[in-house]
Amino acid sequence: MQTHEQTYFSARGQVITAFFVALVIVLNNQSIPVLKIIRYLGFYVSVAFSWLFAWMIIHFIAWLSKSIDGFPRWNKTYDIRFVMQMIGGVAVPCLAAVALAFGFLEGFGRDFRASGYLTHEFPIICLLILIMNLTYLLLHYRQEANRLADELNAKTGALRKAVLDGQIWKKRTLILKQKLETAKKDAAGISKRLLETENALAALEAKLKVRSGGADTLCELPKLRGFMEIQGALSIDKIPYTEIRYIEYEKRRAWVYTSKSPHFRRTSLQEIQKSLPANWFFRVRNNTIINRMYIIDGPGIKKGRSMEITLRLPKKQTKTLTIHRRKVAAYLEWFSLAHV
């Protein structure tokens, strides 16, 4: 239970309440009729003293209640606040009422014990003090309840708005994801159709022949075009065919060695071979595909029934590969033809 500025009785309310309390104290247990007793000066003196006495107590209770409001540790729970109100607002004023009455009566030469104050006026004063403190407690509890209700309504409204905003953003995010997936599929389809078109065009150009001098001759190799798509960490990398030196399959990965850095694809070498231009790339071994552009010094060197070829690598490096005897004939046929 937090504390904040409470609204209690105003100064005018305290004065009026003290006046009625003074009348009750003076007129209580009087055998003289009211219309007669008001003719005596002593009646007004007693009312004035009782009013001052009651106003001081009421003012003290109001001051004490506001002071307790300023201590958060005394307002943690309603039980603690009730105990502190009873101690400071009831016990202390009752003791003060006894002390003031004792001083007043003894000061005017009257015996305090024989005056009957403890049996007549004091119970009324204690009852009024208790009622006043309970009234302050009820006002305090009511305002605390209203404040907590306002805070709960504000938090509930904010939470409801946050939930609605979250649902809206969730729907928007889902729609954007769907659009992104559709765009990815469309882009993949367009790239695939473009690649198929380029490969078909290359194959068509490779089959064209021109006749010169009564002999069939083949035209120059078509320009190497196209690229290989490889899924990177954040995007799809497009590697031009002209940058691929060779492709080697190792540890269930197809490693594509280029002029810059190697890349890998999680697919078989056979699938990669199908997507490459056959007149430029040849599978010299079960795990290696080479690019015609980077073969050094002709088709290679015969080594018995097999053959060795040398590839040009970046930074003036080379790589020597041995072609198995079963692939030598196919390799020489592929190398000797300008087209497939």
Side-chain angles (χ1 to χ4, degrees):
M1 185 174 67
Q2 300 178 351
T3 61
H4 68 292
E5 186 66 25
Q6 300 284 359
T7 302
Y8 296 117
F9 292 128
S10 63
R12 181 182 298 180
Q14 295 178 15
V15 171
I16 296 173
T17 303
F19 176 73
F20 284 106
V21 171
L23 289 177
V24 172
I25 294 174
V26 173
L27 296 176
N28 179 56
N29 200 28
Q30 291 287 344
S31 58
I32 304 174
V34 176
L35 295 177
K36 188 176 181 179
I37 198 173
I38 60 176
R39 300 175 184 177
Y40 296 102
L41 179 62
F43 168 77
Y44 296 100
V45 174
S46 299
V47 170
F49 174 79
S50 299
W51 173 85
L52 178 62
F53 175 74
W55 178 83
M56 292 175 60
I57 293 178
I58 292 173
H59 188 72
F60 173 79
I61 295 173
W63 171 82
L64 179 72
S65 298
K66 292 183 178 180
S67 299
I68 295 176
D69 291 341
F71 290 90
R73 62 179 180 178
W74 291 350
N75 293 270
K76 290 182 179 179
T77 62
Y78 293 107
D79 296 340
I80 296 177
R81 175 56 190 260
F82 180 82
V83 172
M84 296 307 300
Q85 190 77 36
M86 291 298 104
I87 294 175
V90 177
V92 174
C94 288
L95 293 176
V98 174
L100 290 174
F102 178 82
F104 174 78
L105 294 175
E106 291 294 335
F108 283 93
R110 295 179 60 184
D111 187 5
F112 176 74
R113 296 182 179 179
S115 65
Y117 174 79
L118 295 177
T119 59
H120 298 292
E121 288 83 359
F122 182 68
I124 297 175
I125 293 174
C126 290
L127 180 61
L128 293 174
I129 290 174
L130 180 61
I131 293 174
M132 183 62 65
N133 278 275
L134 292 177
T135 303
Y136 276 107
L137 276 176
L138 290 176
L139 290 174
H140 176 80
Y141 290 159
R142 186 188 66 179
Q143 295 186 47
E144 281 293 318
N146 292 336
R147 182 187 61 81
L148 292 175
D150 293 339
E151 289 183 357
L152 181 60
N153 291 333
K155 292 180 180 179
T156 304
L159 180 61
R160 186 183 297 110
K161 185 178 182 299
V163 171
L164 292 176
D165 292 343
Q167 292 177 350
I168 293 174
W169 281 108
K170 186 177 181 180
K171 290 181 180 179
R172 291 180 179 177
T173 303
L174 182 60
I175 293 173
L176 289 176
K177 285 184 179 180
Q178 292 175 351
K179 290 183 178 180
L180 181 60
E181 292 296 329
T182 303
K184 286 183 178 179
K185 291 180 181 179
D186 294 342
I190 293 173
S191 299
K192 184 178 180 181
R193 288 194 295 270
L194 181 61
L195 184 60
E196 290 175 353
T197 302
E198 290 181 348
N199 291 337
L201 182 61
L204 180 62
E205 291 177 350
K207 293 180 180 179
L208 293 177
K209 295 182 179 181
V210 294
R211 294 186 176 275
S212 175
D216 291 342
T217 60
L218 298 177
C219 64
E220 294 294 327
L221 277 172
K223 186 177 180 180
L224 182 57
R225 294 174 298 180
F227 53 85
M228 177 184 294
E229 292 185 351
I230 295 181
Q231 179 65 48
L234 299 176
S235 61
I236 297 177
D237 297 330
K238 295 182 178 181
I239 304 175
Y241 289 146
T242 55
E243 294 186 4
I244 299 176
R245 304 287 176 124
Y246 67 97
I247 303 172
E248 192 171 33
Y249 190 82
E250 184 179 2
K251 295 181 179 180
R252 298 183 179 180
R253 294 180 178 179
W255 290 90
V256 181
Y257 292 90
T258 66
S259 303
K260 298 178 181 180
S261 60
H263 304 266
F264 70 89
R265 287 179 58 178
R266 296 182 182 273
T267 183
S268 65
L269 206 62
Q270 184 176 0
E271 292 295 326
I272 293 179
Q273 186 179 6
K274 291 180 181 179
S275 64
L276 297 173
N279 50 350
W280 284 97
F281 292 88
F282 184 79
R283 190 171 181 176
V284 295
R285 293 191 301 191
N286 291 336
N287 68 333
T288 307
I289 297 176
I290 63 171
N291 187 349
R292 178 195 295 269
M293 291 179 61
Y294 299 101
I295 299 176
I296 301 176
D297 298 332
I301 302 174
K302 278 274 190 176
K303 293 290 184 178
R305 300 180 63 179
S306 61
M307 179 173 285
E308 285 186 354
I309 60 174
T310 303
L311 298 179
R312 185 173 69 254
L313 301 182
K315 298 181 180 181
K316 297 182 180 181
Q317 297 182 356
T318 59
K319 181 178 179 65
T320 302
L321 298 173
T322 301
I323 302 176
H324 193 268
R325 59 185 179 87
R326 294 180 181 178
K327 288 184 174 289
V328 171
Y331 167 74
L332 292 175
E333 182 182 0
W334 168 79
F335 188 85
S336 62
L337 295 177
H339 305 280
V340 175

